[in-house]
Amino acid sequence: QVQLAESGGGLVQAGGSLRLSCAASGRTFSIVTMGWFRQAPGKEREFVAAIRWGYGNTYHAASVKGRFTVSRDKAKNTVYLQMNSLKPEDTAVYYCAADQNYLGDVSVAHEYDYWGQGTQVTVSS
């Protein structure tokens, strides 16, 4: 089992920045892929970014590319999502996810085995 705990959400004005953290515990040695997803009210869960735990290969959704950056600190078992130039449409609950497999498509939410509880990000205009 892997447990995930997100932090760092909050209220920020448009154009501002936030950094989300996701601390993993438990069988962290089994993690191969970690991802960030978000879900706005009335919308489906949406892929944001992902990272391969081993080599650090990163993937970003087109909607956030150039503004958001996913990274990880293996020593701390933590993955980060640096969010810059935030827009009101970025408002959502952000979830961290982890999987023990090499996912061919990191953007598919139901492929991930473990999820955090989510952290709210609100961007005001």
Side-chain angles (χ1 to χ4, degrees):
Q1 291 287 334
V2 173
Q3 293 79 41
L4 304 173
E6 302 100 332
S7 61
L11 174 64
V12 64
Q13 288 188 332
S17 298
L18 283 175
R19 189 178 80 156
L20 304 184
S21 300
C22 175
S25 59
R27 295 172 61 88
T28 57
F29 61 86
S30 67
I31 295 174
V32 176
T33 307
M34 291 194 73
W36 286 98
F37 291 78
R38 65 188 182 186
Q39 189 165 19
K43 294 189 177 181
E44 293 189 353
R45 193 164 294 191
E46 172 190 29
F47 170 74
V48 176
I51 188 166
R52 305 289 191 190
W53 195 251
Y55 289 103
N57 307 64
T58 59
Y59 309 83
H60 297 84
S63 59
V64 307
K65 196 168 290 184
R67 301 188 298 122
F68 292 9
T69 303
V70 62
S71 63
R72 63 74 160 122
D73 184 330
K74 296 175 74 174
K76 295 182 178 180
N77 290 321
T78 298
V79 64
Y80 303 98
L81 185 67
Q82 178 66 45
M83 305 186 294
N84 299 328
S85 301
L86 283 160
K87 305 175 181 179
E89 51 263 43
D90 294 318
T91 295
V93 176
Y94 283 70
Y95 296 92
C96 173
D99 198 78
Q100 301 168 88
N101 299 300
Y102 186 90
L103 301 178
D105 186 345
V106 299
S107 68
V108 179
H110 69 254
E111 294 286 347
Y112 289 80
D113 292 328
Y114 304 102
W115 291 84
Q117 80 286 353
T119 186
Q120 176 71 46
V121 172
T122 303
V123 184
S124 62
S125 57

